[in-house]
């Protein structure tokens, strides 16, 4: 069957250089400022979360970062290259899973490679190599309509991962990746996500309105308020860096209090 | 599965059988003179004697309908693609398309005969004119029904315009296309017969005008039966192709019943 495929980024990224830089980005729609002078840097392999109220400009920031929206001012750099307004190099998993209903799981995951001109057989073998890590080893030939909500999210995540590593950037934007799931599935997905992120290398910027989720899944939490970054909270997990028990510790609550203060004030 | 489908058709079969039975009773009662309204049994009795003749004329009509439908679908597809790609063109052409549908077919058919003669050409053109509209409108609606987020997602994967069309818009348009095509096949049969009435050397329309002049009511009803049967057959063919083209809408087995299926990993 499919041979093992190297799923690490193709081009080595300088660990000192940020994987993704957003520099002084401002966006206004019809005179209303949505983002004002937002700057942030995502380090290689880092997981950063953005929290904020709905309508606070999170999705706009992602559209800029993905190159779908050209900002009124500012720049987006991926591995030092200016990609402002150019989609196709930063992977973006939107709130909806947006699986193509007419492609089986394997072909949905292989889609970014196919679009980049990789021959079908090779694209499929790359996708096949990913599926076991994403818990989809037995599901390659299923249609999206045959999947549960959690499985659909994992297919979307696998596809996002394939895209992120395809060009060598290794950067993924995840917009509320687990918000559509019920509470139990969500908790299960969190555990699975931490496990898989320990195995693969991906720099992620993800948006959530759930502060617990942000603290649980990321190294740094940024508070976006009124279109600007109001606070940056480096998460200190103590002992086991990816332990779910972290949610029960004092330091978790201290982090959460500071973030709530930043959101409220 | 076959059993449940037969069950689903049962009410329709009963309704048709009841209607035919009532008709048979009405004819037998003598309330309507037999020569004006032959009984269903008398109509069916035409087929053994006139069968070869009906087959010969039926094949001519089918050929005209098929050629005209092919031309109509091709033209409809081209119009829909252009209207979808160029907004200004859509606004310019759409009213014209609607206008073209207000012209009665029986009014242009004689013109086509005068312009194009008594051969197959005017029939094919008329059928094409009648069938391209439902196909074009169905396809256009389908193209425009694509989720804008899906288009954005494809663009973040580096898709060009053609790839957005192929992976996003075409699949989105298939259900609407087949709805339009189902209407178009019935139009194709009717269009071919009408244009044969107005001049031609063969086909069910020509057969119809001949038996009409002979006041052979049973034969006239036999042609009506045949045209209905052929239209139904063509619609069934479209449904068959639809299922083949969209296997993902009719998956054989579903896993959605057991969301736990693949979560263990």
């Amino acid at each position: 069957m499919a041979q093992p495929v190297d799923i690490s980024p193709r081009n080595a990224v300088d660990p000192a250089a940020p994987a993704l830089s957003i520099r002084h980005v401002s966006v206004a729609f019809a005179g209303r400022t949505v983002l004002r002078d937002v700057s942030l840097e995502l380090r290689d392999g880092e997981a950063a979360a953005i929290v904020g109220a709905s309508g606070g400009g999170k999705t706009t920031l992602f559209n800029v970062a993905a190159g779908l929206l050209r900002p009124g001012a500012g720049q987006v750099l991926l591995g030092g290259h200016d990609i402002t307004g150019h989609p196709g190099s930063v992977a973006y998993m939107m709130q909806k899973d947006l699986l193509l209903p007419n492609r089986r799981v394997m072909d949905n995951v292989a889609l970014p490679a196919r679009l980049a001109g990789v021959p079908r057989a090779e694209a499929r073998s790359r996708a096949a190599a990913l599926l076991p890590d994403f818990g989809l080893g037995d599901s390659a030939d299923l249609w999206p309509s045959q999947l549960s909500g959690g499985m659909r999210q994992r297919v979307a995540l696998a596809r996002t991962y394939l895209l992120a590593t395809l060009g060598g950037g290794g950067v993924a934007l995840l917009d509320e990746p687990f918000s559509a799931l019920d509470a139990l599935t969500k908790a299960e997905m969190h555990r699975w996500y931490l496990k898989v992120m320990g195995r693969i290398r991906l720099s992620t910027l993800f948006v959530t309105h759930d502060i617990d989720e942000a603290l649980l899944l990321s190294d740094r939490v940024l508070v976006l308020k009124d279109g600007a970054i109001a606070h940056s909270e480096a998460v200190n997990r103590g002992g086991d860096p990816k332990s779910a028990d972290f949610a029960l510790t004092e330091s978790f609550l201290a982090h959460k209090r500071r973030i709530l203060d930043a959101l409220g004030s | 599965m076959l059993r449940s489908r037969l069950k689903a058709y049962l009410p329709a079969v009963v309704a048709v059988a009841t209607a035919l039975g009532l008709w048979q009773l009405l004819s037998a009662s003598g309330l309507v003179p037999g020569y004006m309204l032959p009984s269903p049994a008398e109509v069916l009795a035409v087929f053994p004697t006139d069968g070869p003749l009906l087959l010969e004329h039926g094949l001519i009509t089918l050929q005209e309908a098929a050629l005209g439908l092919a031309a109509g679908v091709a033209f409809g597809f081209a119009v829909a693609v252009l209207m979808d790609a160029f907004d200004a063109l859509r606004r310019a052409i759409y009213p014209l398309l609607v206008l073209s549908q207000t012209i009665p077919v029986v009014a242009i058919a004689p013109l086509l005969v005068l312009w194009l003669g008594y051969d197959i050409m005017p029939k094919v053109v008329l059928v094409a004119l009648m069938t391209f509209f439902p196909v074009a409108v169905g396809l256009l609606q389908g193209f425009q029904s694509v989720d804008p987020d899906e288009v954005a997602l494809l663009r973040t994967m580096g898709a060009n315009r053609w790839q957005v069309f192929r992976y996003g818009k075409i699949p989105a348009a298939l259900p609407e296309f087949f709805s339009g095509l189902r209407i178009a096949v019935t139009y194709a049969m009717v269009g071919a017969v009408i244009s044969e009435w107005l001049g031609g050397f063969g086909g069910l329309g020509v057969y119809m005008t001949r038996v009409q002049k002979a006041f052979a009511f049973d034969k006239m009803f036999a042609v009506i039966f045949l045209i209905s049967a052929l239209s139904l057959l063509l619609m069934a063919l479209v449904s068959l192709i639809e299922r083949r083209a969209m296997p993902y809408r009719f998956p054989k087995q579903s896993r959605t019943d057991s969301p736990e299926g693949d979560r263990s990993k």
Side-chain angles (χ1 to χ4, degrees):
Chain A
M1 256 244 344
Q3 316 128 8
V5 173
D6 181 14
I7 56 171
S8 59
R10 263 196 253 154
N11 311 322
V13 180
D14 179 0
L20 181 76
S21 314
I22 293 171
R23 290 189 185 163
H24 306 292
V25 162
S26 297
V27 174
F29 290 130
R32 198 176 68 86
T33 306
V34 180
L35 294 176
R36 69 185 91 227
D37 198 27
V38 171
S39 294
L40 68 88
E41 302 212 320
L42 184 69
R43 288 185 289 276
D44 194 29
E46 185 186 25
I50 298 176
V51 296
S54 20
K58 291 175 293 186
T59 299
T60 305
L61 180 62
F62 268 21
N63 283 339
V64 170
L68 290 173
L69 180 70
R70 189 174 272 284
Q75 268 187 316
V76 181
L77 303 178
L78 179 72
H81 298 286
D82 190 342
I83 56 153
T84 318
H86 291 288
S89 28
V90 174
Y92 185 2
M93 178 172 155
M94 299 194 198
Q95 220 165 328
K96 289 181 272 181
D97 57 60
L98 292 171
L99 301 184
L100 300 192
N102 59 325
R103 308 267 156 179
R104 294 177 192 271
V105 166
M106 159 111 71
D107 290 317
N108 257 290
V109 175
L111 182 65
R114 289 290 292 142
L115 290 174
V118 176
R120 188 189 300 269
E122 197 195 328
R124 280 197 174 152
S125 81
R126 277 198 209 190
L130 280 184
L131 293 181
D133 259 338
F134 286 80
L136 297 163
D138 303 329
S139 315
D141 290 328
L142 294 183
W143 300 109
S145 64
Q146 296 171 292
L147 305 177
S148 67
M151 289 167 86
R152 292 180 69 101
Q153 290 305 109
R154 279 181 281 150
V155 175
L157 207 55
R159 183 173 67 180
T160 308
Y161 176 68
L162 185 76
L163 174 60
T165 50
L166 197 63
V171 173
L173 310 169
L174 314 175
D175 189 358
E176 304 261 9
F178 308 118
S179 68
L181 304 174
D182 63 89
L184 280 177
T185 312
K186 196 166 163 175
E188 220 174 317
M189 285 291 286
H190 285 164
R191 282 196 292 279
W192 166 80
Y193 180 78
L194 288 173
K195 216 160 67 183
V196 76
M197 282 319 208
R199 271 206 299 270
I200 63 180
R201 193 168 112 195
L202 192 63
S203 323
T204 56
L205 190 60
F206 79 96
V207 151
T208 176
H209 58 257
D210 180 344
I211 299 171
D212 288 18
E213 182 177 82
L215 283 167
L216 213 56
L217 302 184
S218 63
D219 309 313
R220 189 153 55 112
V221 180
L222 302 163
V223 176
L224 191 67
K225 202 184 163 203
D226 301 327
I229 299 213
H231 180 71
S232 172
E233 178 87 11
V235 183
N236 175 18
R237 281 199 180 75
D240 185 356
K242 299 278 180 187
S243 167
D245 294 338
F246 174 53
L248 306 171
T249 63
E250 280 295 321
S251 80
F252 184 89
L253 288 177
H255 283 309
K256 191 169 175 179
R257 196 166 300 124
R258 281 195 292 273
I259 292 166
L260 283 170
D261 285 347
L263 279 166
S265 61
Chain B
M1 161 126 177
L2 185 69
R3 226 192 156 123
S4 65
R5 274 176 72 191
L6 283 180
K7 219 172 189 173
Y9 287 129
L10 195 64
V13 172
V14 170
V16 171
T18 309
L20 286 175
L22 285 174
W23 179 2
Q24 184 74 37
L25 282 176
L26 185 71
S27 301
S29 71
L31 285 172
V32 184
Y35 61 90
M36 281 179 78
L37 185 66
S39 72
E42 284 167 324
V43 173
L44 289 177
V46 170
F47 286 97
T49 54
D50 259 26
L53 198 61
L54 279 169
L55 183 72
E56 190 191 319
H57 286 293
L59 283 177
I60 294 174
T61 304
L62 268 181
Q63 191 197 1
E64 293 160 359
L67 287 173
L69 183 66
V73 169
F75 184 52
F77 185 82
V79 168
V81 169
L82 285 174
M83 285 201 297
D84 179 65
F86 305 104
D87 210 40
L89 206 62
R90 179 167 56 89
R91 270 176 257 200
I93 295 181
Y94 204 87
L96 282 180
L97 285 189
V98 175
L99 198 68
S100 77
Q101 294 308 296
T102 64
I103 302 170
V105 179
V106 279
I108 36 172
L111 270 178
L112 290 174
V113 171
L114 290 181
W115 285 335
L116 302 167
Y118 288 90
D119 279 329
I120 194 170
M121 206 51 196
K123 284 99 178 170
V124 171
V125 171
L126 188 82
V127 170
L129 283 176
M130 283 179 78
T131 54
F132 95 93
F133 184 74
V135 171
V137 169
L139 272 175
L140 181 66
Q141 273 175 1
F143 289 151
Q144 311 229 313
S145 75
V146 70
D147 186 343
D149 285 338
E150 191 177 314
V151 174
L153 177 81
L154 287 168
R155 287 182 56 222
T156 67
M157 296 182 183
N160 57 34
R161 229 179 151 171
W162 155 244
Q163 287 172 321
V164 169
F165 187 69
R166 178 178 159 199
Y167 288 89
K169 289 191 172 186
I170 292 252
L174 280 183
E176 304 265 13
F177 168 71
F178 281 107
S179 300
L181 191 61
R182 233 188 307 277
I183 298 170
V185 290
T186 58
Y187 281 13
M189 281 305 289
V190 172
V193 170
I194 289 177
S195 59
E196 285 162 359
W197 280 349
L198 296 160
F201 307 113
L204 292 175
V206 172
Y207 176 89
M208 242 179 150
T209 48
R210 282 183 196 159
V211 295
Q212 185 203 1
K213 280 170 190 152
F215 294 98
F217 285 92
D218 54 345
K219 292 185 180 175
M220 289 179 67
F221 275 102
V223 188
I224 294 172
F225 277 28
L226 185 60
I227 293 171
S228 288
L230 286 175
S231 296
L232 283 175
L233 213 64
L234 289 174
M235 285 169 82
L237 189 66
V238 171
S239 293
L240 193 76
I241 298 171
E242 184 178 13
R243 277 173 170 269
R244 281 289 165 86
M246 297 187 287
Y248 49 92
R249 293 189 103 207
F250 315 94
K252 285 195 184 76
Q253 90 283 17
S254 175
R255 279 222 191 165
T256 44
D257 317 329
S258 56
E260 303 298 320
D262 196 29
R263 257 207 236 136
S264 48
K265 283 197 178 169

